[in-house]
Amino acid sequence: VSVFAVCNITGEEKNQGTIENLLVSPANRFSVFVGRAVFQIANGLATVTIAFMYAALIFNVDFSQANYLGLAMVILITTFAMTGFGLMLSSLGLFLRTSMIIANIFLFIGLLLCGVNFPVSYLPGWMQPFSYAIPMTYGTEAARMAVEGASLGELSGLLGAELLVGFAVMIAGYLMFRWFEYLARSKGTLDRF
């Protein structure tokens, strides 16, 4: 949810004709860039919480040993980090026709690489480093550990790495946004959709 909803922001603003007004406003660009996605963090938190409820009620996932505080921290940090990842992909929508195609590609690459369907260790050695460039990899592993009852201390390494990657992709996304803004202005493609 964090990736798709955030990734679509730029495309929707182009389609609605509001991107030009946003970019000529005197507001701080970083605040605008990050502020557009803040609601999606809350949306992601709600979506994951509901998904865990379904996991318990329908699929009988056992949460009896779970560290609920640790799991809540994992969900919060993962949602934040994946929102940053979505912002990075969204910046492509400023220059390209749409960023949703990129979001779809990364969805399937992410499911393959980040350990959701099978552990990262099952991947060929040359693919494993790519897994750790996606924040969801750390979140997936930490969520499994929290459900098994791991303490916050045991989760801290994974959560710290995820925060670091989350901030890195958010900063990379902002720099990409500024670069694509420059390219779109110079080539006159700002309102192309």
Side-chain angles (χ1 to χ4, degrees):
V1 144
S2 300
V3 173
F4 273 105
V6 174
C7 198
N8 198 31
I9 291 173
T10 303
E12 284 297 313
E13 287 176 353
K14 284 172 74 172
N15 288 335
Q16 295 172 3
T18 57
I19 193 76
E20 297 89 357
N21 295 332
L22 179 71
L23 294 178
V24 298
S25 72
N28 178 292
R29 283 282 190 270
F30 188 75
S31 298
V32 169
F33 180 72
V34 174
R36 297 179 321 155
V38 169
F39 172 74
Q40 298 310 327
I41 293 173
N43 186 15
L45 291 171
T47 302
V48 172
T49 302
I50 291 168
F52 275 124
M53 287 173 27
Y54 278 121
L57 296 173
I58 296 174
F59 299 106
N60 296 321
V61 174
D62 182 18
F63 287 93
S64 62
Q65 302 295 319
N67 173 355
Y68 290 105
L69 177 61
L71 189 58
M73 291 296 295
V74 168
I75 294 169
L76 179 65
I77 291 171
T78 302
T79 304
F80 164 78
M82 290 307 292
T83 300
F85 192 73
L87 283 170
M88 185 178 72
L89 297 178
S90 176
S91 66
L92 295 169
L94 193 59
F95 186 69
L96 301 175
R97 185 176 193 96
T98 181
S99 55
M100 289 310 290
I101 294 170
I102 303 294
N104 278 309
I105 291 169
F106 272 95
L107 168 70
F108 294 110
I109 290 173
L111 289 175
L112 174 69
L113 294 178
C114 70
V116 170
N117 296 317
F118 51 85
V120 172
S121 61
Y122 288 14
L123 291 169
W126 64 272
M127 289 180 90
Q128 291 179 18
F130 295 109
S131 298
Y132 294 102
I134 303 172
M136 188 70 179
T137 303
Y138 304 99
T140 301
E141 189 174 335
R144 286 186 177 130
M145 289 174 61
V147 168
E148 293 172 356
S151 68
L152 281 175
E154 294 170 307
L155 297 172
S156 64
L158 286 171
L159 295 179
E162 185 171 24
L163 271 175
L164 182 66
V165 172
F167 278 118
V169 295
M170 189 174 291
I171 298 301
Y174 175 68
L175 294 174
M176 289 169 58
F177 182 81
R178 294 301 300 217
W179 174 249
F180 288 131
E181 177 185 357
Y182 167 77
L183 287 178
R185 286 177 191 256
S186 65
K187 296 182 183 283
T189 59
L190 195 57
D191 60 352
R192 182 180 70 188
F193 54 87

